[in-house]
Amino acid sequence: MLYFSRWKIYLILATCIAGFILMLPNFMGRDTLAALPSWYANSRVSLGLDLRGGSHLLLEVDMATVIRDRVEGLVDGARQQLRTANVGYTALNAGERAVTVQLRDPAQAEEAVKALRQLSSPVGRTALGGGQPDLDVTVNGGTVTVALSEVALRDRATQAIEQSIEIVRRRIDETGVNEPTIARQGNDRILVQLPGVEDPDRIKRLLGTTAKMTFRLVDVNADPSTGRAPPGSEILPSTEGDRYQSKYVIRKKVEVDGATLQNASAGTNPQTGEWVVNFEFNTAGANRFAEVTKQNVGRPFAIVLDNKVISAPVIREPITGGRGQISGNFTAANANDLSVLLRAGALPAPLKVIEERTVGPDLGADSIRAGLTAVVVGFVMVCIYMIACYGLFGAFACSALFINLVLTLAALSLLQATLTLPGIAGVLLSLGLAVDANILINERIREETKKGRGVFASMEAGFSRAYSTIVDSNLTTAIKMALLFVFGTGTIKGFAVTITFGILISMFTATVLVRLMMVTWLRRTRPAVLPV
């Protein structure tokens, strides 16, 4: 263990030098970084919300809307199935989580149940098949009830939260926020942390907008001023202001779904100069849009966003190119925000902000200073203790401890990790864990020296006997940090990552680098007594 071949020495030194090179971008200014290759300049540690400042939002998914949308879809499906099966009914009503059908002839209950069960779809299906129906169909006299099952409710909740997280991530990525934290919290909540965001209100508007867009025909035969809509239609408000109608009677049937949009971008109308949103459908959407506009020339075609009419132009001619334009008295910011929402897709349900915190950049700077002060003070105190107890070997340990810090920062930079205040605490704690290995080695060497063994024999025994203990202690710590990373969220994961890097790198610095320093010193000076 006291012999190092030349290639091993070169490999150890190359590792230390590479660590210094990789950590340097964290201390360079923007002008210097701009002149460097992007792969190197971007290899930096990002500061978290508590260090850089920004916004913390806790969003709640409106599950009642998810369930209501499914129940409303069941109404149309039940009407169609009963009509196909020639089952007469006198009433078809939607409740909170069920649809009830009052049959004209109770003797047709069995036929009605058979027809309505076709609306069910399996949930909880695995790769081996199976799954349970998402609807429970029951009969009580002449009344048939179609209710969402408990399995369906759980499945809907899971799908809604997963889809919402993905869409929230897309919308935030469109705004250019670096290193956002987006994670599920509980059954129906989403945690969003946005470092460096200076306009949290705009982010809240983007996340709070469902952005469910549909293209539907205007019912020109109905008057919205009466306050009553005919069956199959509804009265919706307009966002066009005083220039046009304040309300429209809109057909409930969705002619073209906004989910078929392929792209959207803000622009200006070359004739009027006003801001508009240009959109483009995918192949399926373009075909459907062309078919609808061909069949309804001369009729107003409403563009409905979140149950509000943003535009209702008259179809002058069939639109077959799959492209269109939305005008609605937009400002530049409104047009850009709407295009972001349309590109990211619609949320399955509205998101409600139930908790909001803003961390100012000054507070973040104070946290950075406090964290760096703690690391420096901790490092100095550890070095004082090690040198006081073990002399020259303690100084070797302090040098290795500094290299440990450099390599930890280099590893975090290489992964472009996010550093938070708990992460700094993890770095400080890893200093103590890293030096434990050197304490074990030095104590073993001291014990062997007291037994009267020679210089080389004492060092050989000290390293070999302490090694298994060092591996065991670091392995148990790594297992605990892995559990924190798997089951923790946000800053807890950051703490676990920095501790893990610290102890893994300490296996190199404490047992390999320090041994190289000691062996080099030993072979050059040939001391009669070890300084421990």
Side-chain angles (χ1 to χ4, degrees):
M1 291 188 70
L2 298 183
Y3 172 75
F4 284 88
S5 59
R6 191 176 298 274
W7 71 268
K8 286 184 179 180
I9 296 175
Y10 290 154
L11 183 60
I12 293 170
L13 295 178
T15 302
C16 297
I17 294 171
F20 275 101
I21 293 174
L22 288 174
M23 78 157 192
L24 285 178
N26 295 284
F27 303 97
M28 295 179 179
R30 293 184 178 180
D31 295 338
T32 305
L33 291 172
L36 297 174
S38 59
W39 64 267
Y40 180 59
N42 294 331
S43 297
R44 305 175 65 192
V45 175
S46 301
L47 298 181
L49 180 68
D50 50 359
L51 298 180
R52 187 180 173 187
S55 294
H56 166 105
L57 300 173
L58 186 61
L59 309 173
E60 185 177 55
V61 180
D62 187 359
M63 298 308 303
T65 301
V66 176
I67 297 172
R68 186 173 62 250
D69 289 346
R70 172 58 173 153
V71 171
E72 289 178 354
L74 286 177
V75 172
D76 292 334
R79 184 180 293 114
Q80 184 176 355
Q81 289 294 332
L82 293 174
R83 185 182 298 117
T84 303
N86 292 321
V87 176
Y89 59 90
T90 58
L92 179 60
N93 301 314
E96 290 185 0
R97 48 182 290 187
V99 174
T100 57
V101 181
Q102 187 67 42
L103 299 178
R104 183 176 290 114
D105 183 5
Q108 290 186 304
E110 186 176 345
E111 297 177 26
V113 170
K114 183 178 180 180
L116 294 175
R117 278 181 177 162
Q118 296 181 18
L119 298 173
S120 179
S121 57
V123 294
R125 181 177 292 178
T126 63
L128 300 177
Q132 303 179 44
D134 67 340
L135 299 177
D136 294 328
V137 184
T138 58
V139 180
N140 183 11
T143 303
V144 181
T145 303
V146 183
L148 294 175
S149 64
E150 292 296 331
V151 177
L153 293 175
R154 291 194 297 269
D155 184 69
R156 287 271 164 180
T158 300
Q159 289 183 7
I161 195 73
E162 291 177 353
Q163 185 179 353
S164 297
I165 289 175
E166 179 61 29
I167 291 172
V168 165
R169 191 182 307 279
R170 289 183 201 166
R171 292 184 181 182
I172 291 176
D173 288 345
E174 289 276 358
T175 64
V177 176
N178 292 323
E179 298 294 334
T181 298
I182 304 168
R184 180 174 181 173
Q185 192 168 85
N187 295 326
D188 58 355
R189 295 180 178 180
I190 302 173
L191 174 67
V192 179
Q193 292 184 336
L194 308 171
V197 170
E198 298 178 357
D199 186 9
D201 290 335
R202 180 188 176 222
I203 300 296
K204 284 195 296 182
R205 287 193 300 271
L206 288 176
L207 299 183
T209 303
T210 308
K212 186 175 183 179
M213 176 171 283
T214 56
F215 296 80
R216 294 146 65 179
L217 292 170
V218 177
D219 191 341
V220 294
N221 298 319
D223 185 3
S225 62
T226 62
R228 294 182 180 180
S233 299
E234 60 182 335
I235 299 176
L236 297 180
S238 172
T239 62
E240 293 181 308
D242 298 333
R243 295 168 57 193
Y244 304 100
Q245 294 177 225
S246 60
K247 292 182 180 180
Y248 288 90
V249 180
I250 305 296
R251 294 284 187 182
K252 289 184 178 180
K253 180 183 177 182
V254 175
E255 300 293 344
V256 185
D257 196 331
T260 59
L261 285 176
Q262 180 174 276
N263 193 20
S265 60
T268 56
N269 188 319
Q271 297 177 348
T272 63
E274 64 179 358
W275 281 93
V276 296
V277 175
N278 300 303
F279 62 86
E280 181 180 354
F281 289 106
N282 59 21
T283 303
N287 293 336
R288 178 59 185 162
F289 195 69
E291 180 183 350
V292 173
T293 55
K294 187 181 299 182
Q295 295 174 355
N296 295 278
V297 173
R299 296 188 61 181
F301 198 32
I303 303 171
V304 181
L305 179 68
D306 293 342
N307 290 323
K308 293 182 179 179
V309 179
I310 59 176
S311 183
V314 175
I315 302 173
R316 302 298 182 188
E317 58 184 9
I319 303 174
T320 58
R323 292 182 176 87
Q325 190 178 88
I326 303 172
S327 59
N329 222 6
F330 296 126
T331 63
N334 295 147
N336 278 291
D337 286 349
L338 179 57
S339 62
V340 166
L341 294 173
L342 297 181
R343 285 197 301 270
L347 289 167
L351 296 178
K352 180 171 59 177
V353 179
I354 61 174
E355 181 183 334
E356 177 186 0
R357 293 200 303 269
T358 301
V359 180
D362 293 338
L363 182 59
D366 291 340
S367 298
I368 294 175
R369 283 193 294 270
L372 291 178
T373 300
V375 171
V376 171
V377 171
F379 180 83
V380 171
M381 293 182 67
V382 168
C383 289
I384 291 174
Y385 173 81
M386 291 298 293
I387 294 173
C389 290
Y390 304 108
L392 180 62
F393 285 2
F396 288 157
C398 292
S399 300
L401 199 60
F402 177 72
I403 300 298
N404 182 288
L405 275 175
V406 171
L407 294 179
T408 300
L409 186 57
L412 294 174
S413 301
L414 195 61
L415 296 177
Q416 298 182 23
T418 300
L419 185 64
T420 61
L421 200 56
I424 293 179
V427 172
L428 184 58
L429 183 57
S430 66
L431 293 179
L433 296 175
V435 83
D436 282 347
N438 295 114
I439 292 176
L440 289 172
I441 293 171
N442 290 336
E443 287 296 330
R444 285 289 188 181
I445 294 175
R446 182 176 287 176
E447 289 176 5
E448 298 299 323
T449 302
K450 287 181 179 180
K451 291 179 182 179
R453 302 187 67 171
V455 172
F456 283 90
S458 297
M459 285 188 61
E460 178 76 25
F463 276 99
S464 60
R465 294 184 178 181
Y467 189 76
S468 60
T469 305
I470 294 169
V471 171
D472 290 342
S473 62
N474 285 339
L475 182 60
T476 55
T477 303
I479 292 173
K480 289 184 286 187
M481 293 304 108
L483 293 175
L484 280 180
F485 184 83
V486 171
F487 296 106
T489 57
T491 55
I492 301 299
K493 287 190 174 184
F495 176 80
V497 168
T498 52
I499 290 286
T500 302
F501 276 133
I503 60 175
L504 292 178
I505 292 172
S506 72
M507 291 295 297
F508 167 75
T509 56
T511 62
V512 177
L513 184 61
V514 170
R515 184 157 54 93
L516 176 61
M517 294 179 185
M518 288 183 176
V519 169
T520 303
W521 170 80
L522 191 63
R523 295 191 179 280
R524 288 183 178 182
T525 59
R526 300 281 179 173
V529 180
L530 293 176
V532 289

